[in-house]
Amino acid sequence: MKKFLLPLLLLIAFGFENVFATFVPTNLFGDKSIAAPHFLFIVLLFIVVYYNATNGILYGMLFGFIVDIVYSELLGMYLFAFPILAYLVSNAMKILQVNLFIVSSLVLISVGILEYYTYGLLLLLGRTNLSASAFFTDRFLPTLLLNGIFLVIFCFPLRKYILRIFAAVEEM
């Protein structure tokens, strides 16, 4: 039963991201701004850091595919991005010290990379006509701010929950 706690946590994050995007206006930080929640991706990276990198990468593939099906107009965009960024974060954490400030900073940097990757791919394929400066001010900064607020609120309980799951699975 305890092996289903991580997928359940990711499903809850996916659902919360969907509910948040539905009920909270996207122009939360200004008239033209669009703040995109990446709560599922943040939880995924916390799993990579505090639980197991292999499981985090596999969950990244699975939930990246689910995000592609539900939200994306380009199939495979998140299927590729989630596991690659999870792998890069796991390798960075082999070098860096695992404390909550460094982990949160690295997660926020990864959210920024994910945003730029998505923008660049959509720009390359002609699916967006947003200029780079407009993207930076209207999409990138509000997204980092929103996900930074989510990190500040949920980083302690999320870390504690994942470490508790890790301890419970180790007992088995």
Side-chain angles (χ1 to χ4, degrees):
M1 181 66 185
K2 293 180 181 179
K3 64 183 176 180
F4 296 113
L5 292 177
L6 283 178
L8 180 65
L9 176 64
L10 288 166
L11 281 172
I12 290 170
F14 180 73
F16 180 64
E17 187 176 297
N18 190 12
V19 168
F20 186 88
T22 302
F23 291 114
V24 176
T26 56
N27 58 356
L28 190 63
F29 301 110
D31 290 339
K32 296 187 293 183
S33 70
I34 301 170
H38 291 293
F39 307 147
L40 170 69
F41 183 62
I42 291 171
V43 171
L44 178 73
L45 292 181
F46 267 73
I47 288 171
V48 166
V49 172
Y50 290 112
Y51 183 71
N52 185 335
T54 306
N55 285 350
I57 291 168
L58 291 174
Y59 287 135
M61 290 174 68
L62 174 68
F63 281 92
F65 182 66
I66 292 170
V67 168
D68 277 337
I69 290 172
V70 174
Y71 294 122
S72 178
E73 58 190 41
L74 184 64
L75 205 58
M77 186 167 54
Y78 292 104
L79 173 66
F80 176 75
F82 280 8
I84 293 295
L85 287 170
Y87 175 75
L88 292 174
V89 166
S90 73
N91 281 340
M93 291 315 297
K94 291 177 185 175
I95 299 168
L96 299 172
Q97 185 180 19
V98 181
N99 69 41
L100 206 51
F101 177 74
I102 291 176
V103 170
S104 296
S105 299
L106 191 59
V107 166
L108 211 53
I109 290 169
S110 298
V111 168
I113 292 170
L114 180 67
E115 276 296 305
Y116 263 109
Y117 161 77
T118 305
Y119 169 70
L121 199 57
L122 293 175
L123 189 65
L124 181 69
L125 296 173
R127 302 273 184 156
T128 186
N129 56 1
L130 196 63
S131 70
S133 62
F135 166 76
F136 185 77
T137 57
D138 296 342
R139 169 90 185 201
F140 184 75
L141 292 178
T143 297
L144 283 185
L145 184 60
L146 172 67
N147 289 294
I149 291 169
F150 176 82
L151 267 172
V152 167
I153 294 171
F154 288 104
C155 66
F156 289 109
L158 184 60
R159 179 180 146 260
K160 186 176 179 180
Y161 183 74
I162 291 172
L163 289 174
R164 186 179 304 149
I165 290 173
F166 181 69
V169 170
E170 287 292 315
E171 290 176 0
M172 291 175 50

